[in-house]
Amino acid sequence: MISDSIAAIATAVGEAGIAVIRVSGPDSIVEVEPIFKSRIKLTEAESHTVHYGHIIDPRSGEEIEEVLVTVMKGPRSFTTENVVEISSHGGVIAVTRVMKLLLQQQIRLAEPGEFTKRAYLNGRIDLSQAEAVIDLIRSKSDRAFGIALKQVKGDLSSKITAQRHTLVETMAHIEVNIDYPEHDVESLTSTFIKDKCSEVMEQITNLLKTAEEGKILREGITTAIVGRPNVGKSSLLNTLAHDNKAIVTDIPGTTRDVIEQFITINNIPLKLLDTAGIRETLDVVEKIGVERSRDAVNEADLILLVLDASQPLHMDELELMEQIRGRQSIVIMNKMDLPSMIDIDVIKRYFAPESIVSMSVKTQEGIDALEESISRLFFSGQLESNDLTYVSNVRHIALLNKAKQSLQDAYDAAEQLIPIDMIQIDVRLAWEQLGEIIGDTAGDSLLDQIFSQFCLGK
Ligand code: GDP
């Protein structure tokens, strides 16, 4: 049982109107009370009510900060524990002063993700739901957000639970057969096992089908925009970024600190390569030479080659086309508002017609066609269907694949009429592997690893 209370700043630290500090623990309300001066005693406040008052230094009685305090009594809270949320003025100083006083009570600083971890440990959500909370926070497009939200609500969990239920039935059936071998219905049992294994394998396969797309929606398509100077790359980027509000994320603590810029096209997030120095790297051919451009191109999942349709093709462009031929790429013939000078037939020698888009960044013509081409390249038309459960988490994908393999082993064994107690081992393994997705069979180190990915205060 968890007995201590934790606190953390739940809002992003920086200049802002307000900041929220969250405290959770069985005794959190009692512990906050001595430093909160108000018309009402916090311990007598009803659940889900907000109270105006001041945070005070309990020793001197000095008013430290003017706040609103929200009380949420367990189990009707995010962690299922008693939760106190303190809304203070924004900015670093105010929250630091309040935090300092909290930490002088019996309250300690929360680890990243610890609130969510408590929600999990207290049984309010399972592991896949907890992981989806991270995805929610990190999502870069409406679409990715929607997928994560479904998973938070338990969409994936219920599918996994249903399959595990089928496997439990199967194991029970096998068990009876092991215990009462005199009934000798082995061949019947092996048919039963094969049927059940196929059934579950099919469901897993369906889930895995969504994995690639789910991963793209979550993580974005790594995209390189390449082309000669002055063909309109920056203009294109500005147009896309302007329409979609470029999101720049700063991810410290990864192997190298990177700045990623995301833009979304038709709800598909594109993760632009090396946008920290985009002005420099865009003009790959001229400024840093073909060698560097090859690196960018090699790293990308999607290459957008921008050409100026009002100019004849340049040697460099032929070289670039040669380089990216066969890769997931789209050729953008820009400046179609000007008289065309480009030789389309040459381009068609390198690229399929559906990968060639003519457009004008200036008049915005052809933007839709570009969006469509990208959708076509990465999605098999299911993107529009909202009721799919997408599996996007790498850990989940790996476990689904393992479970599928275990079931295949069980199926093959049943086919070869191998003794059923041997088959039982594989079925149980699959059941455990699926269980690991929802945290039913997860170890401590796995939990630490998962929750350490969270930001503070969540
Ligand atoms: P970059 O060097 O590839 O990034 O090219 P820029 O985006 O800086 O564009 C170079 C010039 O082409 C600028 O003067 C743009 O205004 C112009 N330009 C970009 N797109 C179009 C277009 O579709 N039509 C026309 N007429 N001019 C364009």
Side-chain angles (χ1 to χ4, degrees), residues 24 64 72 83 162 206 215 249 266 286 344 447:
S24 178
I64 299 293
M72 284 161 282
V83 170
N206 286 340
K215 195 161 160 282
T249 56
N266 204 3
E286 192 170 83
I344 298 186
L447 296 184

Side-chain angles (χ1 to χ4, degrees), residues 39-56:
R39 281 186 17 219
I40 185 171
K41 279 184 71 146
L42 217 48
T43 41
E44 287 164 11
E46 282 189 37
S47 185
H48 293 76
T49 53
V50 184
H51 306 277
Y52 172 81
H54 289 84
I55 295 295
I56 54 159

Side-chain angles (χ1 to χ4, degrees), residues 228-235 334-335 337-338 360-362:
R228 298 192 70 238
N230 276 320
V231 292
K233 298 178 299 292
S234 307
S235 312
N334 190 31
K335 307 198 190 183
D337 54 296
L338 301 175
S360 163
V361 176
K362 192 176 170 188

Side-chain angles (χ1 to χ4, degrees), residues 226-227 303-307 317 320-321 324 330-332 351:
V226 297
I303 299 142
L304 300 180
L305 169 61
V306 186
L307 305 172
E317 292 173 327
L320 263 178
M321 290 200 284
I324 64 181
I330 292 171
V331 180
I332 298 167
F351 300 96

Side-chain angles (χ1 to χ4, degrees), residues 5-304:
S5 292
I6 51 173
I9 302 164
T11 42
V13 177
E15 285 181 27
I18 64 164
V20 175
I21 294 169
R22 185 192 242 174
V23 187
S24 178
D27 301 322
S28 60
I29 301 172
V30 179
E31 285 155 357
V32 174
E33 187 170 78
I35 63 163
F36 180 57
K37 195 174 89 185
S38 173
R39 281 186 17 219
I40 185 171
K41 279 184 71 146
L42 217 48
T43 41
E44 287 164 11
E46 282 189 37
S47 185
H48 293 76
T49 53
V50 184
H51 306 277
Y52 172 81
H54 289 84
I55 295 295
I56 54 159
D57 186 330
R59 284 162 305 187
S60 63
E62 184 199 353
E63 286 183 2
I64 299 293
E65 168 67 341
E66 185 186 23
V67 294
L68 284 176
V69 169
T70 311
V71 175
M72 284 161 282
K73 293 189 181 164
R76 285 172 56 218
S77 74
F78 179 61
T79 55
T80 79
E81 299 169 340
N82 287 332
V83 170
V84 179
E85 278 180 11
I86 303 169
S87 306
S88 71
H89 289 104
V92 184
I93 303 298
V95 283
T96 313
R97 286 164 70 119
V98 177
M99 271 305 281
K100 227 165 141 185
L101 281 170
L102 285 171
L103 299 180
Q104 284 166 11
Q105 307 302 306
Q106 304 296 317
I107 301 168
R108 69 173 168 81
L109 190 65
E111 289 160 22
E114 199 171 359
F115 292 94
T116 314
K117 189 176 184 176
R118 286 192 171 193
Y120 164 68
L121 291 174
N122 292 329
R124 198 175 81 83
I125 52 174
D126 70 28
L127 199 55
S128 72
Q129 288 173 297
E131 287 172 296
V133 173
I134 314 180
D135 294 346
L136 264 189
I137 297 170
R138 294 202 177 151
S139 51
K140 304 294 187 302
S141 70
D142 286 350
R143 188 76 204 188
F145 187 85
I147 293 169
L149 194 60
K150 275 184 84 171
Q151 199 174 319
V152 169
K153 286 183 182 157
D155 193 55
L156 177 64
S157 314
S158 64
K159 292 204 164 139
I160 297 291
T161 305
Q163 298 318 311
R164 291 185 87 214
H165 189 75
T166 306
L167 293 179
V168 166
E169 273 175 14
T170 314
M171 288 191 285
H173 190 98
I174 297 174
E175 209 65 55
V176 170
N177 209 266
I178 294 172
D179 290 347
Y180 304 100
E182 64 275 17
H183 286 212
D184 197 23
V185 281
E186 199 142 294
S187 68
L188 180 67
T189 303
S190 80
T191 314
F192 179 82
I193 294 170
K194 282 194 292 184
D195 284 353
K196 290 295 173 188
C197 286
S198 306
E199 186 186 319
V200 178
M201 276 193 285
E202 195 185 317
Q203 294 301 321
I204 294 178
T205 306
N206 286 340
L207 280 175
L208 282 169
K209 268 189 207 153
T210 69
E212 194 49 39
E213 297 182 3
K215 195 161 160 282
I216 289 172
L217 286 171
R218 197 175 73 136
E219 294 173 9
I221 303 169
T222 310
T223 305
I225 302 179
V226 297
R228 298 192 70 238
N230 276 320
V231 292
K233 298 178 299 292
S234 307
S235 312
L236 174 68
L237 182 67
N238 287 339
T239 302
L240 297 176
H242 178 75
D243 285 354
N244 302 279
K245 273 208 205 87
I247 305 169
V248 177
T249 56
D250 197 350
I251 307 179
T254 43
T255 42
R256 59 196 168 122
D257 287 5
V258 286
I259 299 208
E260 295 171 339
Q261 184 175 1
F262 284 86
I263 55 171
T264 58
I265 294 186
N266 204 3
N267 258 324
I268 306 166
L270 302 187
K271 187 168 89 183
L272 297 176
L273 264 180
D274 212 353
T275 41
I278 192 127
R279 238 349 297 188
E280 288 77 25
T281 46
L282 278 176
D283 296 338
V284 277
V285 180
E286 192 170 83
K287 294 207 181 111
I288 28 187
V290 177
E291 195 56 41
R292 248 318 273 285
S293 103
R294 190 169 292 146
D295 289 349
V297 163
N298 282 343
E299 223 181 295
D301 295 325
L302 169 66
I303 299 142
L304 300 180

Side-chain angles (χ1 to χ4, degrees), residues 111-114 116-118 120-122 125-128 130-131 134 395 435-454:
E111 289 160 22
E114 199 171 359
T116 314
K117 189 176 184 176
R118 286 192 171 193
Y120 164 68
L121 291 174
N122 292 329
I125 52 174
D126 70 28
L127 199 55
S128 72
E131 287 172 296
I134 314 180
R395 193 182 72 85
E436 220 177 298
I437 295 177
I438 53 176
D440 214 37
T441 44
D444 281 350
S445 63
L446 173 67
L447 296 184
D448 288 345
Q449 194 192 331
I450 288 171
F451 287 101
S452 64
Q453 298 171 42
F454 275 80

